[in-house]
């Protein structure tokens, strides 16, 4: 049996090269504030993997995505073990575009902090008098650069994004940034409307895209998981205060309050319970 080693390890995912395709493995690691925590969250990787699959299937009418299969029978024998079962996705190989496509539908997190100081989010002027966690008049596309592990992404304006992408793809900066903006907003609106019907507010999220062999833009990485999005329960939602969440904001809040990098068992159990609850609400299926 041929053995494989990851050629790239991210904060929570590992990538294996199969030659003509990749296997992306969602681990049980969890990160917060750009730091990988010491304590894993059991089953988290499988929840994220299945949630991404659900959204990729749901949005394939808008843009093609990189998913080929999450069945390890479609992968080399090395991956047909309990360690990889349920948490692995076979994907296309793409040339990744160097932009994190962040979209904000509600004013929260760093966006709220920025708005309080200067009335803007990522340089975008907003109406006066907005409350914390209020729905924005229109979703905002606020891209950032993609930074290596351990470094912070940098927020960029649309104009700065064009210059940034132009460095990597000469003559394509404007075209690619406009396509990324339009796809990001279209994806967010469709998915946020769907989630709202099922009792979940998607406050913000981010998408990543790459190019296939023919130069087509393809949706990649993970999609609308509790790791890259803020999910709030619709029930009890009220602007003007912070919201309870289905995502890792739960972990962030604990770490901030306790100035710690270690999670106690009850926080781990509550976190995975929230992840599963979000999965089951969104997909209508029990997590198994």
């Amino acid at each position: 049996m041929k053995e494989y080693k990851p050629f790239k390890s991210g904060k929570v995912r590992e990538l294996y090269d199969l030659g003509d395709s990749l296997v992306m493995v969602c681990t049980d690691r969890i990160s917060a504030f750009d730091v990988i925590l010491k304590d894993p969250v059991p089953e988290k990787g499988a929840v994220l993997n299945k949630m991404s699959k659900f959204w990729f299937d749901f949005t394939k009418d808008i843009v093609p995505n990189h998913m080929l299969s999450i069945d390890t029978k479609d992968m080399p024998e090395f991956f047909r073990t309990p360690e990889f079962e349920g948490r692995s996705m076979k994907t296309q190989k793409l040339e990744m575009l160097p932009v994190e496509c962040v979209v904000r539908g509600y004013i929260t997190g760093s966006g709220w902090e920025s708005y309080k100081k200067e009335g803007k989010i990522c340089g975008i002027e907003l109406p006066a008098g907005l409350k914390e966690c209020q729905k924005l008049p229109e979703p905002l596309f606020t891209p950032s650069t993609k930074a290596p592990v351990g470094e912070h992404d940098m927020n960029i304006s649309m104009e700065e994004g064009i210059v940034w992408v132009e460095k990597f793809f000469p003559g394509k900066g404007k075209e690619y940034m406009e396509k990324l903006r339009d796809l990001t907003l279209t994806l967010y609106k469709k998915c946020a409307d769907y989630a709202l019907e099922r009792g979940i507010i998607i406050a913000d999220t981010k998408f990543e895209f790459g190019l296939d062999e023919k130069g087509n833009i393809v949706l990649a990485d993970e999609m609308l998981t509790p790791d890259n999005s803020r999910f709030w329960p619709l029930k009890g939602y009220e602007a003007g205060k912070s919201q309870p969440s289905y995502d890792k904001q739960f972990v962030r809040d604990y770490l901030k309050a306790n100035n710690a990098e270690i999670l106690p068992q009850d926080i781990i159990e509550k976190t995975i319970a929230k992840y599963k609850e979000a999965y089951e609400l969104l997909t209508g299926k029990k997590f198994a």
Side-chain angles (χ1 to χ4, degrees):
M1 178 181 69
K2 182 177 177 179
E3 292 196 2
Y4 291 84
K5 292 197 171 170
F7 72 90
K8 185 177 179 184
S9 284
K11 291 169 192 161
V12 296
R13 287 185 304 286
E14 294 178 339
L15 280 176
Y16 295 78
D17 192 342
L18 304 188
D20 61 344
S21 57
L22 301 174
V23 170
M24 186 171 77
V25 179
C26 295
T27 72
D28 289 338
R29 295 193 297 265
I30 191 164
S31 74
F33 308 114
D34 290 324
V35 174
I36 300 166
L37 303 181
K38 293 173 185 173
D39 307 277
V41 176
E43 295 188 281
K44 172 178 164 285
V47 175
L48 298 190
N49 197 45
K50 291 184 177 181
M51 197 175 284
S52 283
K53 179 189 186 300
F54 169 79
W55 289 118
F56 282 142
D57 286 337
F58 184 69
T59 57
K60 61 188 177 185
D61 61 322
I62 294 172
V63 60
N65 61 68
H66 71 161
M67 180 177 67
L68 298 174
S69 176
I70 67 163
D71 190 339
T72 53
K73 294 189 185 72
D74 297 325
M75 303 171 201
E77 185 184 350
F78 175 79
F79 297 97
R80 294 173 212 159
T81 67
E83 180 190 351
F84 295 105
E85 194 67 48
R87 66 182 67 241
S88 304
M89 181 179 290
K90 187 178 180 182
T91 71
Q92 285 177 269
K93 271 187 170 177
L94 302 171
E95 184 175 10
M96 296 303 291
L97 293 165
V99 179
E100 297 263 1
C101 294
V102 179
V103 56
R104 304 166 191 263
Y106 293 72
I107 186 166
T108 186
S110 62
W112 171 241
E113 295 305 318
S114 173
Y115 175 76
K116 282 193 295 184
K117 284 180 189 169
E118 52 190 43
K120 299 176 183 177
I121 295 181
C122 299
I124 301 169
E125 196 87 41
L126 291 171
L130 295 179
K131 298 177 181 177
E132 182 180 7
C133 296
Q134 187 170 338
K135 186 175 183 180
L136 291 162
E138 283 295 324
L140 299 181
F141 176 60
T142 58
S144 67
T145 60
K146 279 168 66 172
V149 173
E151 294 182 26
H152 290 278
D153 300 331
M154 295 288 293
N155 291 331
I156 49 177
S157 66
M158 188 70 182
E159 293 70 28
E160 289 167 335
I162 290 170
V163 173
W164 172 249
V165 173
E166 192 75 21
K167 289 180 184 176
F168 299 86
F169 300 94
K172 292 286 191 176
K174 187 171 187 291
E175 177 191 339
Y176 286 167
M177 279 302 294
E178 287 178 350
K179 282 185 179 174
L180 293 182
R181 176 197 61 203
D182 294 348
L183 285 170
T184 294
L185 293 171
T186 302
L187 287 166
Y188 174 76
K189 285 173 183 173
K190 177 175 181 175
C191 297
D193 287 350
Y194 169 88
L196 206 58
E197 292 171 2
R198 281 146 187 83
I200 289 182
I201 293 169
I202 301 175
D204 54 35
T205 190
K206 66 179 179 179
F207 303 113
E208 292 192 34
F209 299 87
L211 303 173
D212 67 12
E213 292 173 341
K214 296 177 182 175
N216 299 311
I217 291 180
V218 176
L219 181 60
D221 201 61
E222 65 181 320
M223 184 178 183
L224 284 164
T225 71
D227 260 22
N228 74 348
S229 315
R230 280 190 178 92
F231 294 161
W232 299 334
L234 176 59
K235 188 176 180 182
Y237 165 74
E238 185 184 344
K241 60 179 185 179
S242 63
Q243 310 296 315
S245 68
Y246 291 105
D247 55 43
K248 63 182 179 180
Q249 192 64 38
F250 196 64
V251 171
R252 292 189 197 104
D253 290 346
Y254 173 81
L255 297 176
K256 277 169 80 173
N258 293 275
N259 192 25
E261 286 184 20
I262 295 175
L263 299 176
Q265 189 60 33
D266 68 313
I267 294 291
I268 290 172
E269 288 171 4
K270 286 175 183 175
T271 298
I272 192 59
K274 283 290 181 190
Y275 277 47
K276 287 180 179 178
E277 186 182 345
Y279 173 85
E280 291 170 1
L281 279 171
L282 290 166
T283 65
K285 298 176 184 174
K286 286 290 288 180
F287 178 78

